[in-house]
Amino acid sequence: MTRSVDDPRRVEKSHQFDLPFTRDDFGPEFTWGVASAAFQVEGAWDEDGKRPSVWDEACLRGRVRGGRACLDGIDAYHRLDQDLDLLSALGIGAYRFSINWPRVFGDGRGPWNPAGASYYDRLIDGCLARGIEPWVTVHHWDMPMALEREGGWLRRATVDDFATFAAEVARHYGDRVKHWMVMNEPLSIVGHAFLGVHRRRSGLYPMAALATLHHLNLACAEGARRMREVLPQDAKIGVTHVFTLAWPYDRVGRGARARRAIDALLVDAFLDPAAGLGYPFAICPPLRPIRRFVVDGDEELARFDYDFVGVQYYGPVPTRPARLVGVLPRATVPSAEARVRSGVGVPVDPDGLLEVLRRYRSHPACRRFVITESGFGMNDRPGEDGRIRDDIRIWYARTHLERVLAAKREGIPVDGFFQWSWADNVEWLFGRSVRFGLVYIDYEDDFRRIPKDSYYWFRAFLGGETVASATVSEARRGR
Ligand code: NOJ
């Protein structure tokens, strides 16, 4: 039976959650963290021997909203101790950040740049000194511009360049870093290739997207293998993916096949090869032309047994039935929590996170999960009193944490939760216009850091209060 998009049963389903809970309900082993990425926060884009990346170039060309100003990120490169003190006061146990490829490894193939690389030594040591565990993403989209000019991910040999870089990073920091993510959201890189984000002429490039997809699958596995060779035995190696499912989630009824094909293109096209299953051609025919880039032996090369899969979930792709193609995207997804869309246009649906975890728990590529990103982006502004009232971000966190807890109670192995992001930063093409932080960045006043209400809410929650009583005003009083 087809459910209407306004079916009240979905509303009831969402209402079944509204339980007070505390941090303790997630168990003592659960990792609580915040996340960021190099390009988005560091700045210092041409200091200490750093070479340009594709995203630096996108700022210089005005492709990123705000242009050159975004090259400064949030100036995190120059404010390391101040920022780590803020994280420490928040009460988190882990900080997830990424290594900027052209900061540590020149134009992509080395040599190692000790001046740039020492920034991460200080960052890692600074975390450890404060009892914060560093979780390192090896690659969060900052491809060296020089490699991009040679073809970037369109070029198969980039797989080897990347794996060499990944192994170097592991060799340098592996004595102190125990949790690694070889790559962040390869799907997003595929999206950039599809839209020609780093080309002179934007347009739609489907074959470039498929070449990129395949090479990224090979790069993740090869990078992870090379890291495994040099890392201590107790190191955990994962990969993160954005889990965007077609909504409604039902696997039956009109449009179900087409929705399943969307899921396969956005998610299974990465998980299946990692599990040695090849590509899901049967359920996703649009993937078939990728065969042009696959050579004998690739099925084995794309395979890697990750210790964990990082789940990054922001919301689903709402769809409606359509003739011929099965379904088409629609404007919004109804839910009890109102029809909210974030500043980057993603509709909010907390149930979707539980759906993701339930659906992929039995996938052979998913041994364990960590929520490596969850958060809400908008255009926050301080009130007249200077306070930043971001209730919607608090609500977003509560409702999504509720689903994580529900998943754990169902026995799904979810080991951690990282809030995206600890501070506002450069939201890729959106530049500074969309803010995801628990901490506000005043770009007009020397990048001043101003904790938002959500920061105080998290602090109270992480300090042991229930989500219901961790009120912002109480938390602010405890300042
Ligand atoms: C996913 C990306 O990993 C991160 O860089 C980005 O800022 C967030 N999603 C929000 O869009």
Side-chain angles (χ1 to χ4, degrees):
M1 197 188 69
T2 320
R3 282 188 184 180
S4 122
V5 285
D6 293 316
D7 188 327
R9 275 171 301 175
R10 289 201 64 80
V11 173
E12 280 160 25
K13 191 174 155 218
S14 289
H15 271 307
Q16 80 195 18
F17 295 95
D18 197 13
L19 304 169
F21 56 85
T22 67
R23 168 191 184 142
D24 287 348
D25 292 317
F26 292 78
E29 302 300 322
F30 196 80
T31 299
W32 292 97
V34 289
S36 74
F39 163 77
Q40 295 179 272
V41 300
E42 286 176 1
W45 74 282
D46 60 353
E47 283 179 40
D48 297 332
K50 182 183 165 299
R51 303 291 298 148
S53 77
V54 289
W55 283 98
D56 299 330
E57 177 74 11
C59 294
L60 292 168
R61 285 199 287 129
R63 190 83 169 88
V64 167
R65 195 183 299 181
R68 292 185 73 100
C70 293
L71 288 166
D72 294 334
I74 61 168
D75 199 35
Y77 193 79
H78 300 120
R79 294 164 199 249
L80 195 145
D81 284 312
Q82 177 197 351
D83 289 348
L84 288 179
D85 286 345
L86 260 175
L87 298 194
S88 171
L90 180 59
I92 45 124
Y95 179 32
R96 173 180 174 234
F97 55 86
S98 74
I99 309 288
N100 196 318
W101 188 346
R103 187 180 299 288
V104 301
F105 216 43
D107 279 325
R109 300 195 191 97
W112 188 257
N113 171 22
S118 71
Y119 168 68
Y120 300 107
D121 282 314
R122 285 182 279 122
L123 187 53
I124 290 166
D125 294 344
C127 283
L128 293 171
R130 291 167 177 85
I132 297 172
E133 210 206 323
W135 282 51
V136 171
T137 311
V138 176
H139 184 58
H140 200 127
W141 311 351
D142 28 28
M143 160 78 66
M145 197 55 215
L147 282 191
E148 180 71 12
R149 290 205 181 92
E150 291 180 30
W153 292 114
L154 297 183
R155 184 177 150 267
R156 193 178 163 107
T158 300
V159 171
D160 193 54
D161 294 334
F162 171 71
T164 305
F165 155 66
E168 274 309 292
V169 168
R171 208 186 318 276
H172 276 83
Y173 306 117
D175 55 336
R176 289 155 289 164
V177 175
K178 297 293 165 215
H179 288 89
W180 294 89
M181 290 136 287
V182 65
M183 176 111 40
N184 180 72
E185 290 191 5
L187 173 70
S188 300
I189 305 176
V190 173
H192 303 148
F194 181 63
L195 298 172
V197 165
H198 300 302
R199 294 181 185 239
R200 292 259 151 223
R201 281 165 40 147
S202 45
L204 296 184
Y205 300 91
M207 289 316 285
L210 290 178
T212 298
L213 196 165
H214 184 57
H215 296 151
L216 286 171
N217 277 331
L218 298 177
C220 288
E222 183 61 15
R225 267 189 296 275
R226 302 266 288 272
M227 289 167 68
R228 186 76 93 208
E229 282 167 13
V230 298
L231 286 172
Q233 280 206 329
D234 59 348
K236 305 276 184 238
I237 303 178
V239 60
T240 78
H241 292 295
V242 54
F243 284 74
T244 307
L245 300 183
W247 186 93
Y249 309 118
D250 318 35
R251 302 237 211 179
V252 290
R254 230 174 124 204
R257 244 177 107 90
R259 291 198 304 273
R260 184 72 192 97
I262 295 176
D263 299 341
L265 184 65
L266 302 183
V267 180
D268 305 44
F270 300 93
L271 295 182
D272 286 10
L277 303 172
Y279 288 101
F281 293 131
I283 48 173
C284 187
L287 263 176
R288 288 182 188 156
I290 207 171
R291 288 188 175 120
R292 186 184 299 185
F293 307 105
V294 178
V295 302
D296 277 355
D298 277 4
E299 218 162 84
E300 200 44 43
L301 282 181
R303 182 181 193 146
F304 188 79
D305 192 12
Y306 294 99
D307 295 307
F308 65 94
V309 167
V311 171
Q312 321 213 137
Y313 171 81
Y314 289 88
V317 188
T319 61
R320 60 184 166 79
R323 287 216 184 111
L324 300 175
V325 285
V327 292
L328 284 174
R330 54 171 276 139
T332 188
V333 56
S335 79
E337 286 91 0
R339 295 159 195 236
V340 181
R341 265 181 188 258
S342 75
V344 286
V346 178
V348 174
D349 185 26
D351 287 334
L353 179 54
L354 185 52
E355 177 71 22
V356 162
L357 296 169
R358 281 178 177 157
R359 194 181 292 183
Y360 287 98
R361 69 182 298 181
S362 52
H363 193 287
C366 303
R367 277 167 177 243
R368 308 199 65 83
F369 295 113
V370 174
I371 311 300
T372 40
E373 282 187 29
S374 167
F376 188 77
M378 59 180 169
N379 187 13
D380 306 77
R381 282 275 167 267
E384 282 185 4
D385 55 358
R387 178 172 161 191
I388 296 127
R389 295 171 169 79
D390 57 344
D391 312 27
I392 190 167
R393 186 169 290 112
I394 296 171
W395 161 81
Y396 189 99
R398 281 183 54 162
T399 51
H400 287 72
L401 282 171
E402 252 168 358
R403 281 16 177 229
V404 175
L405 186 56
K408 278 182 76 69
R409 287 181 172 155
E410 287 177 17
I412 301 176
V414 192
D415 298 338
F417 181 93
F418 287 71
Q419 175 74 18
W420 183 271
S421 177
W422 78 267
D424 299 337
N425 54 52
V426 180
E427 178 55 24
W428 307 106
L429 293 175
F430 292 89
R432 296 170 171 177
S433 69
V434 181
R435 296 167 178 268
F436 273 89
L438 302 178
V439 173
Y440 182 86
I441 300 295
D442 190 344
Y443 292 107
E444 309 298 312
D445 183 13
D446 190 30
F447 301 95
R448 192 154 68 94
R449 276 81 166 123
I450 309 171
K452 303 179 190 176
D453 280 1
S454 56
Y455 175 94
Y456 296 111
W457 180 85
F458 256 103
R459 194 172 75 172
F461 174 69
L462 293 173
E465 293 187 34
T466 66
V467 283
S469 66
T471 59
V472 172
S473 45
E474 282 167 18
R476 286 176 67 89
R477 274 204 295 280
R479 243 191 308 176

